[in-house]
Amino acid sequence: MAISTQNDEQKKIQNGEHSFVEEINSKNKLMPEENSNNNETDTTETKESVEMIFKDKNVPSWRQQLTVRAFAVSFVLGVLFSFIVMKLNLTSGIIPSLNVSAGLLGFFFVKTWTKFLEKSGWLKHPFTRQENTVIQTCVVATSGIAFSGGFGSYLLGMSGQIASQSTEANDSQNIKNPSLGWMIGFLFIVSFLGLFSVVPLRKIMIIDYKLTYPSGTATAHLINSFHTPQGAKLAKKQVNTLGKFFSFSFLWGFFQWFFTGGDGCGFEYFPTFGLKAFENRFYFNFSATYVGVGMICPYIINISLLVGSILSWGIMWPLIEKRQGDWYTDPSSTSLHGIQGYRVFIAIAMIIGDGLYNFLKVISKTIVGLSRQLRSKRDAGTILLWPIAPLLMHNLPLLLSYDDRVRTQLFLKDQIPTWLATGGYVAIAAISIAALPHIFPQLKWYYILVIYIFAPTLAFCNAYGCGLTDWSLASTYGKLAIFTIGAWAGKSHGGVLAGLAACGVMMNIVSTASDLMQDFKTGYMTLASPRSMFVSQIIGTAMGCVISPCVFWLFYNAFDDLGSPNSEYPAPFALVYRNMSILGVEGFSALPKNCLLLCYVIFASAMLVNAIRDIVPKKWAKFIPLPMAMAIPFYLGSYFAIDMCVGSLILFIWEKRNKVQADAFGPAVASGLICGDGIWTLPSSILALARVKPPICMQFVKGEK
């Protein structure tokens, strides 16, 4: 049964991830068994079989897949990617998929390790694709906490730094400044529930319903290809390319640092298109990170960002600024009662319009898909779950391909007891209900209880929808919690802070649930045990609960202006999330004059544009901008969008000149640019903490007439 799914470009903005199926398809020529694309959930069988290639290799037990070296490498890469995700969180909030980088670097580190031991005669266990999958799962789980932990959104939105940018709800009841202790405790309490909530459904999702999970499928193709002779050679070349551009990006960041000896100094404030354009935030800021991000993100994302920049900073804001004195009187560029209020609330309207439309769309697809699956099961007179008795495992339907028979047998071999999942959920929920009110007194125990009653259903919906569309709605469910819990608590009882905390609880549950199901799909296609996947996800999540707060704490203490609109790290979504919570508590009284009318227009336009994208043929839909992407520069400006468009242009020219080479090495080049610049933030943060200032300030000012 073919199920048409949502274009997966939109998923990158919603939860910071991005399906790189198209980028991997070229690599899949090495593994021509089943090609997954964003529009169909069917798989295409070819004459060759992946598992036939590996049939002479023994599959290690689930305990043997969990090696010390795998978790040592995962820890190192987890720290690396946590820095990268944190920097992206605190600058633009756009986070591409780093699965290609994690897969490449994980393969490279362990392969180098095992080669050294093999030459020394000390190698006991060879490096397998199952161990590679464990590393991939652990790294993604670790760095995922840097996103779902809300360090650039709801958690930072609780701080006094963000609250000071508005006059509403900035009292002590609605403010909680970050502290390393409570952040780690909060994440440990809320980050594991999602894992236990969907474990019992893994057989239904992966085997019975055969959901595609495009990112998980593409990751599996990548890992499988690494462990063939041809794939290993390509991976070595890709790692070399990544290393070269990593070095270039790191050194470029180091070079730029020398010219940032004051506010508004350095290459990142270079008025590329003139000072007037610079004042309206149109300039190229020489960021290797965002050039790399632009090479990874689809063209439509980058064009949407640029269109949003032109619409807002090129047209709307200059026109509204001419109404100063009539529509608003506050001349401050950062006050929500001035021009900043229009920027923030109109961006919120577009984000909510896009989110609501796609929430309804994914939910409807989920309901339709479930009803079709249940109807087909009933009509066929079959049971819902595959039999798990060892005797029946050898009688799997002969209609399945050889690969699917092998994978199904291995997937059903190592069961995760239902009592463990249920008991774990209940136990962690009980601890959470008792502990969270001590961290957030405004978040009453009965608010948390209501969230946990509905959370498993929402986690299932998110995991199922992600399997169909490759799109997690974690942030949308989080916004739903902001409005419901915030309004329930009320302003006088700390409703703004309660809404933000509830957002964190909900986001962590539904986000980890869909991530785990993606990992189960990857494990299914690489013959990694579900038990090893589950354990790896738990260990990765635990590492992320410590690493991510520590990385954020380094940023928070190193950069005093973190969260300010014109700083190096503006954290745009922190102010957006806080103002959503204020809207939920106070209603529309907080909006400037005529802002509500403009919000209605933008909200309706976002839904209309999405509807048009779904109605018109695919060949035209790919040219229609995405409202979610357009909304981000409404607040930030276009400088990062221009950087990303430069990345797109580089990739476009490369593809025209040599598409095969661009497909094979483009992700490696992009990953090197992102990783090098991301890692430079570690020494730059240490220098800032040590009060070591750059020696030069390079700044541009208007000349005398």
Side-chain angles (χ1 to χ4, degrees):
M1 178 182 69
I3 303 174
S4 178
T5 61
Q6 164 79 23
N7 284 340
D8 64 317
E9 295 95 1
Q10 299 187 13
K11 180 242 185 186
K12 306 144 201 82
I13 301 300
Q14 285 287 359
N15 69 351
E17 289 191 61
H18 139 247
S19 172
F20 50 96
V21 177
E22 291 181 359
E23 297 168 0
I24 301 302
N25 278 342
S26 61
K27 300 179 183 65
N28 289 347
K29 294 172 184 176
L30 298 172
M31 312 298 299
E33 179 249 343
E34 51 184 8
N35 283 323
S36 174
N37 60 47
N38 0 0
N39 297 318
E40 299 292 331
T41 62
D42 287 338
T43 56
T44 304
E45 291 291 342
T46 64
K47 293 181 180 180
E48 296 187 48
S49 163
V50 173
E51 299 310 331
M52 287 294 289
I53 297 174
F54 296 103
K55 68 177 182 178
D56 296 327
K57 295 186 178 181
N58 293 326
V59 178
S61 68
W62 71 272
R63 286 187 176 89
Q64 291 174 327
Q65 295 171 24
L66 303 169
T67 63
V68 174
R69 69 189 179 198
F71 291 116
V73 169
S74 298
F75 177 80
V76 173
L77 293 180
V79 173
L80 167 65
F81 289 118
S82 292
F83 267 98
I84 294 168
V85 173
M86 195 67 67
K87 179 177 180 179
L88 295 171
N89 251 334
L90 297 175
T91 48
S92 72
I94 299 175
I95 305 169
S97 170
L98 297 171
N99 290 12
V100 172
S101 312
L104 275 173
L105 291 174
F107 177 82
F108 169 72
F109 281 136
V110 180
K111 202 70 176 174
T112 304
W113 186 336
T114 54
K115 274 191 176 181
F116 172 76
L117 292 178
E118 189 175 13
K119 289 180 180 178
S120 306
W122 297 340
L123 181 64
K124 295 182 179 179
H125 303 290
F127 182 41
T128 64
R129 56 187 174 135
Q130 290 79 26
E131 188 179 355
N132 205 158
T133 305
V134 166
I135 295 172
Q136 177 88 15
T137 299
C138 192
V139 172
V140 172
T142 302
S143 59
I145 297 295
F147 166 74
S148 62
F151 301 102
S153 55
Y154 64 84
L155 192 144
L156 183 58
M158 301 175 183
S159 68
Q161 174 75 358
I162 302 300
S164 65
Q165 297 178 38
S166 65
T167 57
E168 292 82 14
N170 57 4
D171 55 288
S172 59
Q173 247 192 339
N174 288 298
I175 293 175
K176 188 173 183 68
N177 285 310
S179 171
L180 197 57
W182 75 255
M183 288 191 297
I184 293 175
F186 171 72
L187 290 176
F188 266 107
I189 290 170
V190 302
S191 295
F192 295 92
L193 272 166
L195 303 180
F196 290 94
S197 65
V198 294
V199 163
L201 304 173
R202 67 194 179 282
K203 292 189 291 294
I204 299 174
M205 301 282 210
I206 304 299
I207 297 177
D208 285 341
Y209 291 170
K210 300 186 185 301
L211 296 179
T212 307
Y213 290 100
S215 285
T217 298
T219 303
H221 281 306
L222 182 73
I223 291 173
N224 283 335
S225 70
F226 284 165
H227 292 267
T228 62
Q230 306 99 311
K233 291 179 182 178
L234 176 61
K236 184 177 180 180
K237 293 178 181 178
Q238 289 171 326
V239 169
N240 289 337
T241 302
L242 189 151
K244 291 175 184 176
F245 282 89
F246 176 96
S247 302
F248 165 77
S249 181
F250 183 88
L251 293 173
W252 173 242
F254 179 48
F255 174 75
Q256 286 189 90
W257 176 81
F258 283 96
F259 300 90
T260 57
D263 293 335
C265 300
F267 283 91
E268 63 186 271
Y269 297 102
F270 192 98
T272 322
F273 308 113
L275 290 171
K276 185 64 178 177
F278 179 81
E279 290 173 2
N280 286 286
R281 304 192 187 181
F282 279 92
Y283 57 95
F284 176 70
N285 78 336
F286 295 91
S287 169
T289 294
Y290 283 106
V291 172
V293 171
M295 293 180 70
I296 290 179
C297 287
Y299 296 130
I300 190 61
I301 291 289
N302 302 327
I303 296 301
S304 299
L305 290 167
L306 189 59
V307 170
S309 303
I310 295 170
L311 179 63
S312 56
W313 290 88
I315 300 173
M316 292 178 65
W317 306 157
L319 291 175
I320 292 175
E321 284 175 341
K322 291 181 179 179
R323 298 284 182 174
Q324 182 178 342
D326 179 16
W327 285 16
Y328 65 95
T329 56
D330 194 332
S332 172
S333 62
T334 59
S335 171
L336 290 178
H337 292 285
I339 185 64
Q340 186 76 341
Y342 294 92
R343 295 170 184 166
V344 172
F345 289 115
I346 290 175
I348 289 173
M350 185 170 284
I351 290 170
I352 294 176
D354 182 274
L356 179 61
Y357 177 89
N358 288 290
F359 173 77
L360 296 174
K361 178 180 175 179
V362 173
I363 289 295
S364 64
K365 280 180 177 288
T366 301
I367 294 171
V368 171
L370 275 172
S371 63
R372 285 178 179 174
Q373 292 281 3
L374 293 172
R375 194 182 307 118
S376 64
K377 293 288 181 184
R378 186 178 63 249
D379 293 344
T382 58
I383 57 175
L384 185 62
L385 297 179
W386 284 98
I388 61 172
L391 180 64
L392 296 177
M393 278 188 188
H394 300 288
N395 298 319
L396 293 172
L398 295 178
L399 292 175
L400 292 177
S401 67
Y402 173 79
D403 284 358
D404 281 336
R405 289 199 299 273
V406 172
R407 290 167 178 173
T408 300
Q409 183 174 345
L410 265 293
F411 191 78
L412 295 173
K413 179 183 176 184
D414 294 326
Q415 296 298 306
I416 302 171
T418 303
W419 64 263
L420 176 65
T422 306
Y425 186 88
V426 172
I428 296 174
I431 294 170
S432 181
I433 290 170
L436 278 178
H438 291 284
I439 300 175
F440 303 106
Q442 300 86 345
L443 192 64
K444 305 301 182 184
W445 67 269
Y446 43 88
Y447 300 160
I448 307 167
L449 177 62
V450 169
I451 291 174
Y452 288 162
I453 290 172
F454 289 100
T457 302
L458 299 178
F460 167 75
C461 291
N462 192 48
Y464 188 92
C466 190
L468 291 176
T469 65
D470 202 30
W471 187 8
S472 171
L473 291 173
S475 59
T476 304
Y477 288 112
K479 295 180 185 85
L480 181 65
I482 286 179
F483 289 116
T484 53
I485 301 299
W488 187 3
K491 181 182 177 182
S492 60
H493 296 92
V496 172
L497 194 63
L500 291 170
C503 172
V505 175
M506 184 63 78
M507 270 187 68
N508 277 281
I509 293 173
V510 297
S511 177
T512 52
S514 61
D515 289 347
L516 178 63
M517 208 54 69
Q518 291 270 19
D519 293 331
F520 278 145
K521 182 67 175 183
T522 304
Y524 169 78
M525 295 184 64
T526 57
L527 302 189
S529 167
R531 288 186 184 179
S532 65
M533 292 290 91
F534 185 63
V535 172
S536 179
Q537 184 86 18
I538 287 178
I539 293 175
T541 301
M543 288 196 294
C545 289
V546 176
I547 293 171
S548 291
C550 291
V551 171
F552 172 75
W553 193 241
L554 183 64
F555 276 88
Y556 188 74
N557 286 283
F559 304 100
D560 296 332
D561 58 352
L562 188 145
S564 298
N566 298 316
S567 70
E568 184 179 355
Y569 297 101
F573 283 104
L575 185 61
V576 166
Y577 273 66
R578 183 172 184 87
N579 281 286
M580 284 183 185
S581 194
I582 291 173
L583 276 178
V585 172
E586 293 193 346
F588 299 121
S589 60
L591 300 180
K593 183 180 178 182
N594 292 322
C595 187
L596 180 59
L597 176 61
L598 292 173
C599 287
Y600 281 143
V601 172
I602 294 295
F603 175 88
S605 299
M607 298 194 76
L608 179 64
V609 169
N610 275 305
I612 293 172
R613 280 181 57 85
D614 289 335
I615 292 170
V616 301
K618 295 290 183 185
K619 64 179 181 179
W620 301 114
K622 64 183 181 181
F623 295 109
I624 300 176
L626 305 172
M628 180 63 69
M630 290 174 61
I632 297 173
F634 272 53
Y635 170 66
L636 272 182
S638 65
Y639 58 91
F640 71 96
I642 293 172
D643 288 13
M644 291 174 67
C645 285
V646 169
S648 277
L649 181 61
I650 292 170
L651 185 64
F652 179 79
I653 295 172
W654 193 357
E655 287 179 338
K656 289 297 181 184
R657 292 173 64 88
N658 191 333
K659 182 167 176 55
V660 174
Q661 186 185 62
D663 288 342
F665 294 97
V669 171
S671 299
L673 293 173
I674 295 170
C675 293
D677 196 33
I679 283 301
W680 165 247
T681 59
L682 175 58
S684 69
S685 300
I686 294 172
L687 289 170
L689 285 171
R691 305 300 174 192
V692 177
K693 296 199 173 186
I696 305 168
C697 173
M698 184 177 72
Q699 197 172 42
F700 296 86
V701 296
K702 289 182 179 180
E704 296 182 3
K705 293 183 180 180

